[in-house]
Amino acid sequence: MTARQPPPEDELTAPADARPHPLRPSAGDVVAGLSVSLVLIPQCLAYAELAGLPPYYGLYAAMLPPIAAAVFASSPYLQTGPVAMTSLLTFGALAPLAVRGGAEYAALAALLALVVGVVRLVVGSLRVGWISYLMSHPVLIGFTAAAALLIVASQLPTALGAAAPDGRILVRAAWAITHIGQWDPASVVLSAITVALVLWGRRLHALFPGVFVAVLIGILYSVLSDYAGPRLGTIPAGLPPFSIAVPWGSVPDLLVPGAVIALVGFAEAAAISRAFATQDRSLWSPNREFVSQGVANLASGISAGFPVGGSFSRSSINRLAGARSRWSGAITGLGVLAFMPVAGVVAPLPKAILGAIVIAAVVKLLDPRPLFASIRHSYPQTAIAWTTFALTLLLAPRIDRAVVIGVILAVMIHLWRELPVLVKSRYEDGILYMIPQGVLFFASAPGLNQALTEHLSAHPDADRLAIDLRQLGRVDYPGALALKQVVEDALVVGLEVEFVGVPQHARRILGRVFGTDSPLLRRADRTPFETVAPSVARRLSGKE
């Protein structure tokens, strides 16, 4: 009887009852893909505005990226395209470099998408997806809460129909809120209807197309009335300009923002894929998702788009609508592509509705409870979360810098907590026991030498040193060298040295430093009495 061969990786990423022929989509894929495209089209217009671009650039970023991502993705449900957080980060990266909405700004947006794509592609290809975990949970909750606040604030003037003066995002939002006389009543009503349709429509049915219905209402109202507020305006006919003629000289200015977008923006895609894989009891590959999202951004960059990512809301719709494979994402992109020749039908759409679509998409992220909950668990982690939150607001629109500072702060606090090696000691009849606890690495190693000096000064009569390693969590090469230095220092002052209980994970590195045939390692598995000199062992055991 031959052993059953494991299924290929593509098969493992889909539920057992949902594995259609790889060369054709299922009916569920077609329905789901087209359903998502009805939501994606108005959303991408809104997110382009959030990114600082003319709305129709959102269509450019919604065509090829879903198709490209579908080729490489490991999740059958992940929907790729413009998303709110990535769009805000895009605006933050480009606002200091060019005039918002201009040709230079658009070229830089395409270049930024290429940078994000290369970073994600490299991370996925090298299988170092773990790097995304540098964005610790406190950094993410602080950044997400502040970014959601900034997103809502950036769209309030548009949603209220108030022509706020130029300035910082929060200042413009405060001006719009306080100058009620500048509100456009029609814009306010349309925005309220849009938010209600998007949020409350889901209570009627999970697949209720609130965004699509709001857009239809807005277009009809704009056409049939004398609506005087800002409208979407002319949309160029045809396909986007495919080109890599971007300002390559600006790459150094976009490297850090691009890396931040690549990592922060991946968090949502990873959460989506992981959650759905758990529900379906299937597998997914973070590295493949990095590759798929990288290729999607490269496709966006060459088609005059801007950075894109995975959307939780659209992926949920995709799954609920019956998607069974990655074909659904490709069909979504083809749906947007088919819409391009008739895209002019949305030209009358009031921009207030676009602002309301963005607000409705992120309003659930305006939840301060995770920030306050962190206080009950860890003060250092709370400091990271609140510092990232405050810096994101203060440094806006350069919120990528807040993320970098948050990551640096998190690493510093981690090092600060891991730096000291707690070294307990016990003295019995001339034997000094040293019991280091924690992680022995390059930064904490000097503390071990200092501990030896202190303990020896407290017990000048000691003539034996037993180093108990059983409570060390990890030992790296610099840590092993520090341990060797402790042994050599002890021998210099005339002590006999033995190890007690070398953990299995440390044997390899200690063997390299001390030598695999070292008596210290050979005798390390004995009991503490047996590890010291035989005469001392006899005395401690009562035989002498």
Side-chain angles (χ1 to χ4, degrees):
M1 182 174 173
T2 58
R4 182 176 181 271
Q5 295 297 316
E9 185 179 1
D10 282 358
E11 246 184 83
L12 288 172
T13 60
D17 60 345
R19 294 171 187 159
H21 193 283
L23 297 180
R24 66 174 184 272
S26 67
D29 290 327
V30 175
V31 172
L34 294 178
S35 298
V36 173
S37 66
L38 293 178
V39 176
L40 174 58
I41 289 170
Q43 277 191 343
C44 73
L45 298 171
Y47 293 147
E49 280 253 303
L50 176 60
L53 291 158
Y56 61 84
Y57 277 84
L59 296 172
Y60 298 163
M63 279 191 315
L64 295 187
I67 299 173
V71 176
F72 297 94
S74 71
S75 171
Y77 308 118
L78 183 62
Q79 282 282 345
T80 302
V83 290
M85 202 69 71
T86 298
S87 297
L88 180 64
L89 283 163
T90 298
F91 171 70
L94 303 183
L97 302 179
V99 178
R100 176 174 180 166
E104 182 184 3
Y105 190 100
L108 287 172
L111 175 60
L112 183 60
L114 294 175
V115 172
V116 173
V118 169
V119 172
R120 286 182 177 169
L121 195 59
V122 168
V123 170
S125 300
L126 296 180
R127 299 184 178 275
V128 290
W130 54 265
I131 197 173
S132 62
Y133 294 110
L134 288 175
M135 307 294 173
S136 67
H137 182 68
V139 172
L140 284 177
I141 63 174
F143 172 75
T144 300
L149 182 60
L150 288 172
I151 290 172
V152 171
S154 70
Q155 299 304 303
L156 277 177
T158 301
L160 298 174
D166 292 338
R168 297 176 67 87
I169 293 175
L170 294 178
V171 174
R172 296 183 74 248
W175 186 94
I177 293 173
T178 55
H179 289 71
I180 300 177
Q182 300 296 318
W183 294 6
D184 175 48
S187 295
V188 173
V189 171
L190 288 172
S191 296
I193 291 174
T194 300
V195 172
L197 286 171
V198 174
L199 297 182
W200 294 342
R202 296 171 186 165
R203 299 182 181 181
L204 298 176
H205 194 279
L207 294 177
F208 180 78
V211 173
F212 182 69
V213 173
V215 169
L216 286 181
I217 293 174
I219 293 175
L220 289 175
Y221 178 81
S222 178
V223 171
L224 300 177
S225 72
D226 56 351
Y227 177 72
R231 308 184 192 200
L232 190 60
T234 304
I235 296 180
L239 297 175
F242 296 99
S243 173
I244 56 171
V246 292
W248 294 104
S250 298
V251 168
D253 297 323
L254 299 178
L255 276 179
V256 173
V260 170
I261 293 174
L263 298 180
V264 173
F266 183 74
E268 186 172 5
I272 298 163
S273 301
R274 182 169 56 248
F276 289 156
T278 300
Q279 294 171 22
D280 287 346
R281 300 188 181 186
S282 59
L283 299 180
W284 74 286
S285 168
N287 293 313
R288 274 186 58 184
E289 294 301 354
F290 257 115
V291 170
S292 73
Q293 296 297 299
V295 173
N297 276 276
L298 293 179
S300 184
I302 65 174
S303 58
F306 54 95
V308 296
S311 166
F312 192 88
S313 61
R314 296 196 299 269
S315 298
S316 298
I317 292 172
N318 189 40
R319 186 169 184 265
L320 289 170
R324 291 292 180 269
S325 74
R326 293 172 289 160
W327 269 105
S328 59
I331 290 171
T332 297
L334 292 173
V336 177
L337 185 62
F339 174 76
M340 289 301 295
V342 295
V345 298
V346 297
L349 179 67
K351 284 192 174 183
I353 288 182
L354 296 182
I357 289 173
V358 175
I359 292 173
V362 302
V363 70
K364 287 188 176 181
L365 298 179
L366 294 175
D367 184 2
R369 288 177 296 181
L371 282 170
F372 288 103
S374 64
I375 299 175
R376 300 196 304 267
H377 305 302
S378 169
Y379 290 127
Q381 301 305 315
T382 298
I384 295 172
W386 281 96
T387 300
T388 305
F389 176 84
L391 288 174
T392 302
L393 297 180
L394 291 173
L395 296 178
R398 289 307 307 267
I399 59 176
D400 56 295
R401 294 176 177 173
V403 175
V404 173
I405 295 173
V407 170
I408 293 174
L409 180 61
V411 172
M412 290 177 62
I413 288 180
H414 172 75
L415 292 176
W416 170 70
R417 298 182 71 173
E418 297 288 348
L419 192 60
V421 173
L422 176 62
V423 181
K424 295 182 178 180
S425 68
R426 179 163 52 90
Y427 180 73
E428 295 178 2
D429 295 330
I431 305 176
L432 175 62
Y433 289 89
M434 285 181 58
I435 311 170
Q437 298 175 330
V439 177
L440 190 59
F441 69 118
F442 71 92
S444 62
L448 192 63
N449 301 78
Q450 180 64 27
L452 174 65
T453 303
E454 294 175 357
H455 290 313
L456 286 178
S457 64
H459 303 286
D461 297 333
D463 54 10
R464 303 288 189 270
L465 175 64
I467 305 176
D468 190 337
L469 303 178
R470 286 174 292 188
Q471 298 187 42
L472 276 182
R474 182 175 62 84
V475 181
D476 67 2
Y477 181 68
L481 290 177
L483 197 58
K484 184 178 182 181
Q485 185 64 51
V486 167
V487 172
E488 291 175 351
D489 291 345
L491 292 174
V492 167
V493 298
L495 294 176
E496 293 186 27
V497 184
E498 293 285 358
F499 284 159
V500 177
V502 177
Q504 191 64 36
H505 64 78
R507 284 187 174 274
R508 183 176 181 183
I509 190 66
L510 291 180
R512 291 179 179 176
V513 172
F514 287 92
T516 54
D517 58 345
S518 170
L520 287 171
L521 299 180
R522 287 205 309 268
R523 295 195 292 267
D525 291 331
R526 301 178 183 179
T527 62
F529 284 175
E530 295 172 332
T531 58
V532 297
S535 60
V536 178
R538 286 195 299 271
R539 184 169 71 249
L540 291 175
S541 62
K543 296 179 180 179
E544 183 176 288

